[in-house]
Amino acid sequence: MNWNDLLRMSINSLRRRKLRTFLTVLGVLIGTASIVVMISLGLGMQQSLYKEVEQSGGLTSITVTGSDNSDGMTTESRGSGQGTEKRIDDQLVEKISKMDHVKLAAPIYETSVILLKGSYRAQVQLQGMTPEGLKSLNMDLGDGTLPKTGTGHLELIFGNGVITDFYETGSGNGYYDTGKVPNINLMKDSLFMITDTENYNSDSSAAFGDSADSTDRTAGAGSKSDSGTGKKKPVPKYVVRASGVINGGLDDYSNNYGSVFCDLETLKQLLRKEYAGKVIPGQPQTKAGKALKGFYYTSLKVKADDIDHVNEVADVIRNMGYNVETNAEYLDSMKSQFAIVQAVLGGIGAVSLLVAAIGIANTMMMSIYERTKEIGVMKVLGCSLRNIREMFLLEAAFIGLLGGIAGNILSFVMSAAINIIVGSSGAMSMGTDSTISYIPWWLVLMSMVFAVLVGVLAGYFPAKRAMKLSPLAAIRNE
């Protein structure tokens, strides 16, 4: 018998028993879909991680912070004020920028500020960066441009989700309470910005209904004590406008979803003027409460010229006494965790396919009992034992193939449904996007091969039993 005869006989045998074939294929379908969808969840999380790393500077990015705490700042220095803490200042930035294989060294200063517009208020984390540092973020601006330098006016870049941080000062209700976006156009409207959040929040008599259409930088409530007269004077407010807004809707989560950026030098000038003779928020101070000389940054973003030099540059900076984190190290640690997650999810799905394999074996055994006389006739007519084995293995393989194809179709449907449900519910607000399930083509091919292999293995022992049937006993069988 040639292969065409074997294929024809195998297909005809499956057609004659349509219901049994359908139920067996259904078992393989469910098993295949379970494995593919389970693994796709792990791959989806991995894809989200890759996008997050790319948005935070790629695999050549290095984050440097002070060695005394996590944010590179201290509230009190040791000893005489010249303590041994490792802080990030302009001298360090210049030194690292001149190191071999360093492409960029961009300082970052972060401070908490309050934004006011009409009856709305938001407290956000403002990040001051150099023009080079802002460009390295590769932000997709839907409107506007990067902040201009040397103008003396502070311009902000808003993340596409910053609008959800605003809430009404009277009711305290915001976007996540009402489901309604505040009536603010971040790109066009002027806002009041307050840097002295501690004094502003501590004043119980502060009125939060100020309009941001005024240009009076000291207007409004919130106050701090005047050391000369003992009277309280208003907390300074600065009128700020947006230079750009990151592209995306409220459901388009990214690494900069809730971020606010500005030009570092302009922010430093503003803070030095407001806090002349005082300690700027986040800056270190002596035990006597006096500000240290110089300006210190929260962190430093370093980019190596090639991924092969990342570890070398990171080790040099570590040896200088600073805390160093690289995206490559973070990615490696997360990949090992995702491998465990994928193995667990795949194992859960494999249980379904194991049940399907038992179903295939049962179907093939029943087929042998029903076709005993047919097998005996084939042997008497000279059909080789090899041909009989191949015929039953082909039937089992066809069941696996049909179940694999149908299972992958169902997997794509389930994956799309999961992503739509997760995206619409906003459950990925802490992630980078709503693609929680991702099915690459290699997974489709591997799952189909695996389904066929399971079918063949499940059909092996029934096929072996068919080979051992005695021809005369088979013919006499009723």
Side-chain angles (χ1 to χ4, degrees):
M1 295 177 66
N2 56 36
W3 276 98
N4 288 333
D5 294 329
L6 291 174
L7 288 173
R8 180 175 48 81
M9 293 181 67
S10 298
I11 294 174
N12 289 336
S13 176
L14 294 176
R15 284 177 175 174
R16 285 198 301 268
R17 301 166 179 84
K18 294 180 182 179
L19 180 59
R20 186 185 300 167
T21 301
F22 170 75
L23 294 176
T24 308
V25 169
L26 184 62
V28 180
L29 180 155
I30 295 173
T32 303
S34 298
I35 289 182
V36 172
V37 171
M38 288 293 183
I39 294 179
S40 76
L41 294 176
L43 293 175
M45 291 187 288
Q46 192 167 309
Q47 283 293 110
S48 266
L49 175 64
Y50 290 152
K51 290 181 182 178
E52 179 184 350
V53 168
E54 187 63 31
Q55 290 173 356
S56 61
L59 294 177
T60 59
S61 182
I62 302 170
T63 301
V64 182
T65 55
S67 61
D68 55 304
N69 60 16
S70 60
D71 62 0
M73 303 284 185
T74 56
T75 57
E76 182 177 323
S77 65
R78 299 178 186 138
S80 63
Q82 304 296 324
T84 58
E85 295 94 342
K86 292 291 185 178
R87 305 188 185 94
I88 301 171
D89 55 14
D90 290 323
Q91 288 73 25
L92 177 68
V93 175
E94 183 178 0
K95 182 177 181 180
I96 292 180
S97 65
K98 293 180 179 179
M99 287 172 49
D100 293 336
H101 307 302
V102 172
K103 183 179 179 181
L104 171 72
I108 302 173
Y109 173 73
E110 295 185 26
T111 184
S112 179
V113 300
I114 293 175
L115 298 176
L116 302 174
K117 173 60 180 177
S119 62
Y120 292 102
R121 166 180 173 168
Q123 185 155 345
V124 299
Q125 198 73 5
L126 179 63
Q127 300 182 49
M129 299 183 68
T130 62
E132 296 78 15
L134 290 172
K135 288 180 182 178
S136 70
L137 295 179
N138 297 319
M139 291 182 287
D140 179 17
L141 297 181
D143 292 308
T145 60
L146 295 178
K148 296 177 182 178
T149 59
T151 63
H153 300 289
L154 194 66
E155 296 180 331
L156 308 180
I157 295 179
F158 293 106
N160 54 298
V162 172
I163 190 67
T164 62
D165 292 329
F166 283 85
Y167 62 91
E168 288 186 302
T169 55
S171 64
N173 292 329
Y175 171 76
Y176 294 106
D177 300 305
T178 64
K180 296 180 180 179
V181 179
N183 187 24
I184 302 175
N185 189 324
L186 291 178
M187 191 62 207
K188 297 181 179 180
D189 292 343
S190 297
L191 306 173
F192 271 133
M193 185 186 78
I194 299 169
T195 61
D196 192 357
T197 58
E198 184 176 353
N199 278 310
Y200 189 83
N201 288 327
S202 64
D203 193 336
S204 59
S205 64
F208 297 110
D210 302 323
S211 171
D213 297 327
S214 169
T215 57
D216 181 5
R217 85 170 186 85
T218 60
S223 58
K224 54 184 178 181
S225 177
D226 189 327
S227 58
T229 64
K231 296 180 180 180
K232 288 188 175 182
K233 61 181 182 179
V235 172
K237 296 181 181 179
Y238 301 88
V239 177
V240 296
R241 295 184 67 92
S243 68
V245 177
I246 295 176
N247 190 32
L250 298 183
D251 293 330
D252 298 324
Y253 302 103
S254 67
N255 214 36
N256 299 319
Y257 181 79
S259 301
V260 182
F261 301 95
C262 70
D263 177 65
L264 177 59
E265 196 60 36
T266 306
L267 178 61
K268 286 167 63 177
Q269 292 174 4
L270 182 149
L271 292 173
R272 281 169 174 162
K273 185 176 181 180
E274 179 178 349
Y275 293 91
K278 305 181 186 69
V279 179
I280 297 174
Q283 293 295 296
Q285 54 185 296
T286 65
K287 287 186 175 180
K290 295 182 179 181
L292 295 180
K293 292 182 179 180
F295 193 92
Y296 300 92
Y297 304 105
T298 308
S299 61
L300 176 65
K301 179 179 180 180
V302 179
K303 286 186 74 72
D305 57 5
D306 190 89
I307 190 173
D308 295 331
H309 299 139
V310 171
N311 290 334
E312 178 184 344
V313 173
D315 289 340
V316 172
I317 299 175
R318 281 195 186 98
N319 292 334
M320 294 167 63
Y322 292 89
N323 294 325
V324 176
E325 293 181 0
T326 69
N327 284 342
E329 293 171 344
Y330 171 67
L331 185 62
D332 289 340
S333 64
M334 292 303 294
K335 282 174 69 176
S336 62
Q337 295 181 31
F338 283 140
I340 297 174
V341 172
Q342 289 177 12
V344 172
L345 293 176
I348 294 173
V351 174
S352 300
L353 200 56
L354 175 62
V355 175
I358 296 173
I360 293 174
N362 179 64
T363 297
M364 300 309 299
M365 289 299 296
M366 292 299 296
S367 179
I368 291 172
Y369 289 132
E370 292 175 355
R371 297 160 61 188
T372 301
K373 182 173 288 188
E374 177 185 338
I375 295 171
V377 171
M378 290 173 62
K379 287 186 175 182
V380 170
L381 293 177
C383 183
S384 67
L385 297 178
R386 179 181 176 182
N387 288 149
I388 293 174
R389 181 185 63 192
E390 290 173 347
M391 181 179 66
F392 281 94
L393 290 179
L394 275 175
E395 290 182 23
F398 270 124
I399 292 175
L401 179 62
L402 292 174
I405 294 174
N408 275 287
I409 294 174
L410 179 61
S411 298
F412 277 105
V413 174
M414 293 175 65
S415 176
I418 291 172
N419 290 332
I420 291 173
I421 294 172
V422 170
S424 61
S425 66
M428 289 292 287
S429 59
M430 296 303 291
T432 58
D433 61 25
S434 58
T435 306
I436 191 176
S437 177
Y438 169 68
I439 303 177
W441 286 107
W442 63 262
L443 180 58
V444 174
L445 296 176
M446 285 188 63
S447 64
M448 290 180 62
V449 171
F450 188 58
V452 171
L453 182 62
V454 168
V456 171
L457 292 176
Y460 175 76
F461 290 104
K464 192 173 182 181
R465 180 180 178 84
M467 291 170 57
K468 293 180 178 180
L469 284 176
S470 168
L472 294 179
I475 293 174
R476 290 173 182 170
N477 183 68
E478 293 296 335

